Amino acid sequence: MHSKSRLLILGAGKPHSGSHHSSLTHVDSDKNVLDWLLNSFSSIKLEDIRFIGGYRIQDIMTKYPMITYSINPRWKKSKNLESLLQV
């Protein structure tokens, strides 16, 4: 039995400050949080990278078209667990 290597990234909520999606916040001059996270898993052969989001999901989808997305349309009212359970 073969199990898929899957990376789930939860990013449905609004950031604590500002309006920029937290995943796109720069951690240095050329990498943002999501770049750093994807790079940290680059040595693993992932069959599925899934971003679970709601808040400004289009910003992420435009920059990272190779990722699979699960959109939580109720992200404003639901909690993180509800977003995660959609997957």
Side-chain angles (χ1 to χ4, degrees):
M1 180 177 193
H2 172 28
S3 83
K4 277 186 156 184
S5 296
R6 176 184 282 177
L7 174 62
L8 301 176
I9 303 167
L10 183 58
K14 190 174 178 181
H16 292 286
S17 64
S19 62
H20 193 69
H21 197 288
S22 298
S23 295
L24 298 177
T25 300
H26 281 274
V27 291
D28 62 31
S29 62
D30 65 334
K31 290 193 192 251
N32 60 41
V33 171
L34 191 50
D35 291 332
W36 182 85
L37 184 61
L38 293 172
N39 187 52
S40 68
F41 285 93
S42 64
S43 64
I44 301 169
K45 185 177 188 263
L46 296 170
E47 295 180 38
D48 184 25
I49 299 172
R50 185 171 303 263
F51 189 96
I52 306 132
Y55 177 76
R56 297 190 67 168
I57 188 81
Q58 283 301 122
D59 295 348
I60 308 295
M61 293 171 81
T62 300
K63 188 163 171 113
Y64 299 91
M66 71 297 258
I67 295 175
T68 304
Y69 293 89
S70 294
I71 300 171
N72 178 1
R74 294 178 17 92
W75 70 267
K76 285 183 184 178
K77 294 184 181 194
S78 67
K79 301 293 183 190
N80 290 337
L81 182 59
E82 184 175 329
S83 293
L84 187 59
L85 290 175
Q86 284 190 324
V87 183

